[in-house]
Amino acid sequence: MTPRTVTLLDVARAAGVSKSTASDALQGSGRVAEATRDRVRAVAEELGYRPNSAARRLRRSSTGAIGLHLPQTATRLDYYMNLAFGAVARAQEEGFDVMLLAPASVPGTSGPGRAGTSGGAGASSASGGTSGPVASRVDGLLVIDPEVGDSAVPGLLDAGVPVVTGERYLGPAAAPSGAVICDNAASLTALLDHVTERGARRPAVLAPAGTSAWATALRATAASWGRARGVDVTLRTVPFAATPGEAEETTLALLRSDPAVDAVICAPDGAAPGVLRAAATLGRTVGPARTVGTTAVTNTTGPTDTTAVTDTTAATARTTGAPAPRTTTAAAPLLVASCVDGAATRTAEPPVTAVDLRPAAYGRACAELLCDILAGRTAPDTVRRHAWALETRASTAPTA
């Protein structure tokens, strides 16, 4: 026998409140005491109550959808696809579909596609403020990594519906209703600290171009970290979504002009394999200086890209009169790391140390904040922080 669906009236009776009070408590609306709200929600969870999303949308004149705006390069990057899936999953839990807004969704461009529980498609323009079509098609908006140079962003922020940004918007426009941010300065600082702890003395950063908060923070941090520690950090700017080929070309030019560079931190998602190819072309072994048996391989920061490989019995030879060991030269090892983790860094050879920004969880966090604001569970102007993790791999860590 199919179990009977739990209704709102069942929840109200079990919680000892009226149906309207139960509805207000679950939606975060109305003047309901916090203790009553908590009790109703606990009862609803215990009974397995699931709101009728269609009926709820009718009651509040809701569209049942939220819009998602990603950077123009999103379709090329693993990071944004994982973020989008995380946002869709969280929105569906609240009964929302997700409408994917076309990059640069302005008059004359293609419209959005729809992702979520019911699919569909439509056309819209991100411009137009409160009178534009976006406000009539969605209950709220997620705007991820907004660029100052993206002409669609000001219209989205002024669309007349709640807006949550993934990272801050640095341009002049209406303030969003909320934001979820990462400490991007701290993540690059952790990478630079890590490679210097592993022996790097001349690190370089392939930083992204563009005007997003992420790109701006990485470029500023590379410079400020070097000044604070008295270390010469070489900065090269590459496209925001640099391909492996573009990263390879930039790294080849960098290492040929300055062979003393002994660590390269590549910012763009998926571009690190290009750095590995450049290292291979120049005969640079990727990984830290290592000891194999009694032979020590140490990195130097001299004007050439060679290291001394010297038998550790040299000191004994000098004191006993035995023949001195043979000294050979080899290309200096190179540490490689990435500001964004993903399939390209995990499956590279060797696997590349990277910052795991947890994109699926980040997408969920952005959608959750927007849903909380729409339901009245969270006040506007809320800023939440998203945690990252440093994943250390063979490109910077000694192997067993």
Side-chain angles (χ1 to χ4, degrees):
M1 177 181 294
T2 303
R4 185 176 70 86
T5 300
V6 177
T7 66
L8 180 62
L9 184 58
D10 294 329
V11 174
R13 287 171 175 168
V17 298
S18 68
K19 184 177 178 180
S20 61
T21 298
S23 177
D24 287 343
L26 293 175
Q27 294 185 52
S29 59
R31 301 177 64 179
V32 180
E34 193 63 30
T36 302
R37 196 184 307 278
D38 291 343
R39 184 170 77 255
V40 171
R41 289 177 176 172
V43 168
E45 182 175 354
E46 181 181 348
L47 295 178
Y49 171 69
R50 295 293 179 269
N52 183 323
S53 59
R56 184 176 62 184
R57 289 195 291 269
L58 287 174
R59 285 195 301 273
R60 68 182 185 185
S61 299
S62 166
T63 66
I66 59 177
L68 173 62
H69 178 78
L70 300 171
Q72 291 184 347
T73 56
T75 55
R76 291 171 47 196
L77 302 179
D78 181 62
Y79 172 84
Y80 288 113
M81 293 301 96
N82 283 301
L83 185 152
F85 286 132
V88 168
R90 182 64 185 90
Q92 286 181 333
E93 292 171 6
E94 297 276 341
F96 287 106
D97 291 340
V98 176
M99 178 178 290
L100 182 60
L101 304 177
S105 184
V106 294
T109 66
S110 59
R114 192 175 176 92
T117 55
S118 63
S124 76
S125 164
S127 62
T130 57
S131 62
V134 166
S136 65
R137 300 179 68 85
V138 298
D139 293 344
L141 290 164
L142 299 175
V143 181
I144 308 300
D145 280 330
E147 291 252 15
V148 175
D150 186 340
S151 60
V153 171
L156 291 170
L157 292 174
D158 193 32
V161 294
V163 180
V164 166
T165 59
E167 298 299 346
R168 298 186 188 276
Y169 178 60
L170 303 181
S177 307
V180 180
I181 62 175
C182 288
D183 193 339
N184 299 305
S187 65
L188 180 55
T189 295
L191 281 176
L192 286 164
D193 287 344
H194 171 72
V195 296
T196 53
E197 288 166 3
R198 298 293 182 177
R201 296 296 176 264
R202 191 73 172 274
V205 176
L206 306 189
T211 52
S212 70
W214 177 70
T216 302
L218 294 186
R219 294 195 302 268
T221 301
S224 63
W225 183 93
R227 288 194 301 269
R229 290 161 177 77
V231 176
D232 183 14
V233 178
T234 301
L235 182 65
R236 292 290 185 272
T237 301
V238 295
F240 182 89
T243 64
E246 290 169 328
E248 180 181 9
E249 181 180 353
T250 301
T251 304
L252 283 171
L254 167 68
L255 297 179
R256 283 169 175 157
S257 65
D258 189 357
V261 167
D262 50 11
V264 175
I265 297 174
C266 182
D269 179 18
V275 179
L276 299 181
R277 291 204 299 263
T281 297
L282 299 177
R284 302 284 294 266
T285 301
V286 173
R290 63 194 185 282
T291 300
V292 181
T294 60
T295 302
V297 181
T298 57
N299 195 4
T300 70
T301 57
T304 65
D305 60 349
T306 60
T307 57
V309 183
T310 307
D311 193 299
T312 54
T313 59
T316 302
R318 285 193 295 271
T319 58
T320 62
R326 180 173 59 88
T327 298
T328 62
T329 59
L334 182 73
L335 303 181
V336 177
S338 173
C339 293
V340 183
D341 199 14
T345 49
R346 291 190 294 267
T347 61
E349 185 53 46
V352 175
T353 292
V355 174
D356 183 4
L357 295 172
R358 302 168 53 242
Y362 189 54
R364 285 188 62 90
C366 291
E368 181 164 302
L369 176 54
L370 180 57
C371 290
D372 286 347
I373 291 172
L374 289 170
R377 298 188 293 261
T378 298
D381 302 322
T382 296
V383 176
R384 293 177 180 171
R385 296 189 175 273
H386 179 68
W388 50 268
L390 179 61
E391 297 293 336
T392 304
R393 302 190 178 105
S395 67
T396 63
T399 56

